[in-house]
Amino acid sequence: MSALRKFAIAPLGMALALALTPMAEAAVQPLDQIVAVVNKDAIMQSDLDRRVTQVRQQMAGRNIPMPSDEVLRRQVLDRMITEQIELQMAQKANLTVDDEQLNRALRDVAAQNDMSLEQFADTLEREGMSIADVREQVRREMLISQVQQHNVASQVRISDREVDQYLDNAGSGANVQYHLAHILVAVPQSPTPEQVEAARHKAEALRQQIVTEHADFQQVAAGQSNGGEAFEGGDLGWRPRAELPTIFADVVPGMTVGEVSEPIRSPSGFHLVKLVEKRGDTQQMIEQVKARHILVSPNPNRSDEQAKQLATQLHDRIASGEDFATLAQQYSDDKGSALNGGELGWVNPGESVPAFEQALSSLSKGELSQPVHSRFGWHVIQLEDRRQRDVTASNQRDQIRRTLFQRKANEELEAWLQQIRAEAYIDNRLEDDSASANNGGQG
C-alpha cells in the first residue's frame, strides 16, 4: 500500500510556479503528477504506480486474469481514495499502531507463509519489495481496521432471538456452505433514477459477457467490480448460509454450481453473484475428557523446584490412598477448581494448555499423572472419564452467531463506506473532466 504525501498550500504553489518558469523547467526534473485529491491530501502518480505493481503481483500469484492497464489503474485508485478517507479518520481520532503491535502482526504474516520474520524479509527483497514497505502497508491496514471496528463493528449486536429465528428458518440447511464470487456495480448515495438505470444496465451487460460470451468472471470482477474483493477476482470464499448477505440469502440456495445470478439490487448498487461450489453439513463429534487436578504454583516464598517437590509429595499421598478432593481443597492454587475438589468437569479439545492436554491424552481412566509442568506451575492430574460428544448443535449456534455478526457488519460497512465517500471532497483526475473535481461523488 503506497504512502500518500500531504501538501500544504504554500509548497504546492511554489512547485507550480517553478514549473512555469522556462529556466527552472530546464533545470529540474518533471514534477510527480497528482492523480487525485482526497479532502486536503494528494495521491501521487508514483504512489499509484507502486500500488498497481503490487496488485498485479498479487493477482498473478493467484492466477487471476488481468484487466487492461487503464481499467486496473482506475480500480486501484478508487480503492486508494477510500482508504485515504479512512486513514484521515484514524488520524483525526488519534488512533495509532505501536511497534510491538506491528511486529507481532508481521510475525503472524510471516508464520502464515511458513517463514520466520528474517526469511520473510529476505523473500520480499528477492521479489523487489522491502520489509519497510510491507511494515507501512500493514500499519495502514491495521489503522483502517481500527477505524472500521470503531465505526461499524462495535455497533453490531446479535441476540439469542436472532440465532433462534435463523435456525427456525434454515431448518436442516443451516450447515450448508457456499463458495461464492461477487461483482458489485455501485451507485452513489441518494442516486438519481438515471444513475440507477445506468448501473442496472451495466450489471446486465456484465452478466451477458459472462454467461453468453463466456468472459472470465474473475477478470470481469477485477476490472469492473466496485466490491472490496475485486482484486481477488470477486472471491468471497466459503460462507455458511447464515453468513450470506441478506440480499443473497433467498437467491443462492436455489442456484446451481457455476450459475451467475441476475442483477440483485441493494442500497449500494447491483450485485452479480456466482455459486462456485457447494458442500453439505456434517456431524461434528469430539472426544471430551472429565478430569480433576491440583495446581502448585511458584510464588515469592516458593521456588519452581519447591513447587515441583510439593506436587510430587501430593501425588505420592494420593497414590497411597489419601483423598484427592481433600488435598485439592487444601493445597491447590487453582482457586476456581479447588473449592470443588479440583474438578474441571468435561473439557473439550483445545481448552487446556498444551502440556496439560498432552498429559491427559496419555492417561487411562482413573490414572493419576506424575507432576506436569505448564506456565501456571505444576499439576497433578487425574483422568476420570472420556466420552464422544456430538457438538453439532452447540457449534452450530456459535457459528451462526459469528456469521450473523459478519453478515450484519459487512452490510453496515458497505453503507458506511458509501457514506464517508459521499461526505468527502474527491478530485479523481483519472476520471473524465465531467466527473472530476466533484464534491461528494463516487470519485
Side-chain angles (χ1 to χ4, degrees):
M1 200 175 291
S2 57
L4 303 184
R5 302 185 183 90
K6 295 186 177 181
F7 288 87
I9 294 175
L12 181 58
M14 290 172 61
L16 291 174
L18 287 171
L20 294 174
T21 305
M23 291 180 63
E25 189 172 342
V28 299
Q29 296 293 323
L31 292 173
D32 195 1
Q33 182 180 352
I34 296 174
V35 292
V37 177
V38 184
N39 294 320
K40 295 182 180 180
D41 291 348
I43 300 177
M44 308 303 295
Q45 180 76 50
S46 57
D47 299 328
L48 178 59
D49 291 343
R50 283 192 294 271
R51 185 67 176 276
V52 168
T53 299
Q54 290 177 8
V55 170
R56 284 193 175 279
Q57 291 172 341
Q58 292 166 3
M59 293 176 67
R62 295 172 181 171
N63 296 316
I64 298 173
M66 302 281 183
S68 69
D69 184 68
E70 180 184 357
V71 168
L72 184 61
R73 292 177 71 79
R74 291 181 186 276
Q75 283 282 83
V76 172
L77 181 57
D78 191 69
R79 180 77 60 87
M80 291 174 71
I81 288 171
T82 302
E83 290 172 355
Q84 186 60 16
I85 297 171
E86 293 174 289
L87 289 168
Q88 290 168 351
M89 295 177 71
Q91 184 179 34
K92 186 175 181 180
N94 294 318
L95 300 178
T96 59
V97 175
D98 62 37
D99 287 342
E100 183 179 349
Q101 291 174 295
L102 189 53
N103 290 335
R104 186 165 56 247
L106 284 168
R107 284 193 294 270
D108 290 343
V109 172
Q112 290 167 13
N113 289 276
D114 297 320
M115 300 179 191
S116 67
L117 190 55
E118 293 74 18
Q119 291 170 326
F120 185 56
D122 291 341
T123 301
L124 290 172
E125 186 174 348
R126 286 195 300 271
E127 295 180 358
M129 299 176 65
S130 71
I131 191 68
D133 289 338
V134 174
R135 281 178 65 87
E136 177 62 14
Q137 177 178 341
V138 172
R139 185 189 69 82
R140 290 160 63 89
E141 289 176 354
M142 292 176 72
L143 284 172
I144 288 171
S145 179
Q146 288 184 45
V147 170
Q148 293 179 355
Q149 172 68 31
H150 176 73
N151 289 278
V152 181
S154 64
Q155 312 302 318
V156 176
R157 299 286 184 273
I158 302 298
S159 66
D160 289 339
R161 180 181 177 86
E162 288 175 282
V163 176
D164 293 337
Q165 287 177 336
Y166 177 83
L167 284 168
D168 290 341
N169 294 332
S172 61
N175 282 339
V176 176
Q177 293 186 326
Y178 304 91
H179 183 187
L180 303 178
H182 165 249
I183 292 171
L184 167 64
V185 178
V187 296
Q189 194 174 45
S190 304
T192 65
E194 292 77 14
Q195 289 171 321
V196 172
E197 188 56 34
R200 182 197 304 276
H201 179 76
K202 180 178 178 180
E204 290 172 345
L206 294 178
R207 182 178 187 275
Q208 186 77 3
Q209 290 178 31
I210 296 164
V211 174
T212 304
E213 302 171 21
H214 306 294
D216 185 272
F217 190 98
Q218 291 182 316
Q219 186 172 19
V220 174
Q224 301 295 334
S225 178
N226 301 121
E229 66 292 330
F231 299 140
E232 289 77 48
D235 191 3
L236 294 174
W238 284 98
R239 300 209 174 186
R241 184 167 178 172
E243 197 177 339
L244 296 178
T246 305
I247 57 169
F248 298 167
D250 293 333
V251 176
V252 170
M255 294 175 62
T256 58
V257 172
E259 184 178 356
V260 178
S261 72
E262 296 285 345
I264 302 170
R265 179 75 165 99
S266 82
S268 300
F270 291 89
H271 307 257
L272 301 176
V273 60
K274 178 180 179 179
L275 178 57
V276 181
E277 299 174 85
K278 179 180 177 180
R279 60 191 180 197
D281 53 348
T282 57
Q283 189 180 37
Q284 295 173 292
M285 302 294 295
I286 62 170
E287 183 181 76
Q288 294 179 321
V289 293
K290 188 178 182 184
R292 56 184 178 176
H293 83 139
I294 298 173
L295 172 65
V296 183
S297 301
N299 59 45
N301 300 315
R302 180 197 293 155
S303 68
D304 187 69
E305 183 59 32
Q306 290 172 328
K308 182 180 179 180
Q309 290 175 359
L310 177 55
T312 301
Q313 293 169 10
L314 293 171
H315 168 274
D316 294 345
R317 290 170 66 177
I318 296 166
S320 298
E322 290 195 48
D323 183 62
F324 191 111
T326 300
L327 293 177
Q329 290 169 351
Q330 184 176 354
Y331 289 100
S332 182
D333 291 316
D334 179 3
K335 302 306 179 185
S337 67
L339 295 175
N340 296 318
E343 292 288 347
L344 297 172
W346 290 100
V347 180
N348 293 327
E351 290 184 347
S352 306
V353 292
F356 194 100
E357 189 161 307
Q358 184 177 357
L360 278 172
S361 68
S362 64
L363 294 176
S364 302
K365 184 176 177 179
E367 187 178 357
L368 190 69
S369 75
Q370 292 293 330
V372 175
H373 188 253
S374 80
R375 68 176 184 268
F376 300 109
W378 292 89
H379 309 258
V380 178
I381 309 168
Q382 185 173 44
L383 176 65
E384 298 178 284
D385 204 358
R386 297 182 187 275
R387 71 181 182 186
Q388 293 290 321
R389 190 74 170 177
D390 182 358
V391 294
T392 306
S394 60
N395 284 0
Q396 183 183 62
R397 288 190 67 86
D398 291 342
Q399 178 67 23
I400 288 170
R401 184 178 299 279
R402 287 193 298 269
T403 52
L404 283 174
F405 174 89
Q406 194 62 50
R407 173 201 281 181
K408 189 178 289 187
N410 285 342
E411 292 170 355
E412 293 292 334
L413 176 62
E414 202 170 78
W416 177 76
L417 290 174
Q418 192 177 56
Q419 177 185 340
I420 64 174
R421 285 189 63 118
E423 294 171 351
Y425 173 85
I426 301 171
D427 178 3
N428 184 336
R429 300 184 183 183
L430 291 189
E431 298 290 350
D432 295 335
D433 290 343
S434 59
S436 65
N438 68 85
N439 187 358
Q442 282 292 310

